[in-house]
């Protein structure tokens, strides 16, 4: 399979990635095994090696609760809101440290987890993930543009190295994009942390 065919298949796989709606999550409290089974079933396609990778293990979930990323379960059972927080953690953990995830999620869980009226975890989740379709189309357009540009590089390179160098150029372009966005995210989180330290009474970590 040449690089273009592979790229087309990857782009197609973006559309196949399943979005978990709030209503897809059982509205009953779940035991740990049920939570890991649900996460594994619904997010398996997004892993690098679906045949062997685990989406989330018991050890991971216990560590998240121990590090205050996840509110503690009630009588060893996890609510729908627990699962929503775990989905956020799943997408963050590949690019952010535990400390950064805690800084980002702490105000969210403090203000909206377990809230009985008004804006709750489900509403926050829906609002954020509602941007997915729009973001996905822009992402595909951006990846395609980077590919086309990379295929224009190294035209004068030795023929035996040309295709590899074009692929290398494409990967570098994608990597730089990820690096820059990760840098922006980290600086925003650093600013959140500094603001919290300077204004402990106005950090958004207390329920209204």
């Amino acid at each position: 399979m040449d690089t273009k065919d592979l790229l087309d298949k990857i782009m197609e796989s973006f559309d196949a990635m399943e979005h978990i709606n709030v209503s897809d999550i059982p509205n009953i409290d779940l035991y740990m095994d049920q939570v890991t089974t649900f996460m594994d079933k619904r997010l398996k396609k997004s892993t690098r090696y679906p045949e062997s990778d685990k989406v989330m293990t018991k050890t991971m979930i216990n560590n998240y609760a121990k590090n205050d990323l996840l509110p503690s379960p009630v009588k060893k059972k996890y609510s729908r809101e627990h699962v929503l927080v775990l989905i956020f953690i799943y997408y963050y953990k590949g690019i952010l440290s535990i400390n950064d995830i805690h800084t980002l999620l702490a105000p969210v869980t403090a203000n909206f987890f377990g809230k009985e009226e008004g804006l709750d975890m489900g509403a926050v989740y829906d609002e954020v993930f509602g941007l997915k379709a729009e973001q996905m189309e822009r992402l595909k357009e951006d990846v395609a543009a980077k590919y086309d540009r990379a295929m224009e590089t190294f035209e004068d390179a030795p023929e035996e190295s040309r295709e590899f160098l074009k692929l290398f150029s494409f990967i570098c372009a994608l990597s730089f994009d990820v690096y820059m966005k990760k840098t922006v995210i980290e600086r925003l989180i650093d600013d959140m942390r500094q603001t919290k330290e300077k204004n402990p009474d106005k950090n958004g970590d207390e329920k209204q």
Side-chain angles (χ1 to χ4, degrees):
M1 182 181 297
D2 64 26
T3 304
K4 183 62 168 66
D5 287 340
L6 177 59
L7 178 63
D8 288 341
K9 288 191 174 295
I10 292 172
M11 299 281 261
E12 288 174 8
S13 73
F14 288 170
D15 294 326
M17 287 185 181
E18 193 169 9
H19 169 65
I20 302 176
N21 295 304
V22 173
S23 59
D24 295 332
I25 304 170
N27 195 23
I28 56 173
D29 292 342
L30 304 174
Y31 286 107
M32 176 77 81
D33 285 340
Q34 294 172 304
V35 173
T36 55
T37 297
F38 175 84
M39 296 287 287
D40 197 57
K41 180 179 179 182
R42 299 305 299 264
L43 293 170
K44 194 77 165 175
K45 290 179 181 178
S46 67
T47 61
R48 185 173 185 179
Y49 304 110
E51 66 280 359
S52 59
D53 285 347
K54 292 290 185 181
V55 171
M56 204 160 280
T57 65
K58 296 179 184 178
T59 301
M60 289 179 186
I61 295 175
N62 284 330
N63 284 338
Y64 299 149
K66 188 180 300 183
N67 286 281
D68 295 324
L69 272 68
L70 180 72
S72 298
V74 178
K75 296 181 180 179
K76 297 184 178 181
K77 286 189 173 184
Y78 298 83
S79 67
R80 172 183 278 178
E81 289 185 310
H82 281 102
V83 177
L84 293 175
V85 175
L86 285 172
I87 294 171
F88 278 117
I89 294 173
Y90 173 73
Y91 286 113
Y92 293 146
K93 68 186 180 74
I95 57 172
L96 297 176
S97 68
I98 291 292
N99 191 38
D100 282 346
I101 297 174
H102 179 269
T103 299
L104 188 58
L105 283 182
V108 178
T109 55
N111 285 297
F112 307 111
F113 191 98
K115 196 168 183 180
E116 296 182 359
E117 57 184 37
L119 194 65
D120 60 10
M121 279 299 303
V124 172
Y125 177 90
D126 277 340
E127 187 77 15
V128 171
F129 281 89
L131 301 172
K132 178 188 172 186
E134 178 183 338
Q135 290 176 331
M136 188 64 74
E137 288 307 310
R138 290 180 179 177
L139 172 63
K140 288 164 67 176
E141 291 171 4
D142 181 66
V143 170
K146 283 182 171 61
Y147 174 81
D148 290 340
R149 179 66 186 90
M151 292 304 104
E152 296 173 357
T153 61
F154 295 106
E155 289 297 331
D156 297 328
E159 186 174 355
E160 64 272 15
S161 302
R162 194 176 303 150
E163 291 306 311
F164 164 74
L165 289 171
K166 288 176 182 290
L167 176 61
F168 180 70
S169 180
F170 180 42
I171 292 173
C172 285
L174 293 171
S175 300
F176 182 69
D177 184 72
V178 172
Y179 169 76
M180 291 303 296
K181 288 177 180 176
K182 184 172 183 288
T183 299
V184 172
I185 292 169
E186 289 172 342
R187 290 183 180 177
L188 289 171
I189 291 175
D190 287 342
D191 184 68
M192 289 176 62
R193 190 177 293 123
Q194 291 167 9
T195 300
K196 177 181 176 180
E197 292 171 353
K198 291 178 181 177
N199 303 284
D201 296 327
K202 297 180 180 180
N203 55 45
D205 288 356
E206 298 297 333
K207 287 190 177 182
Q208 303 299 315

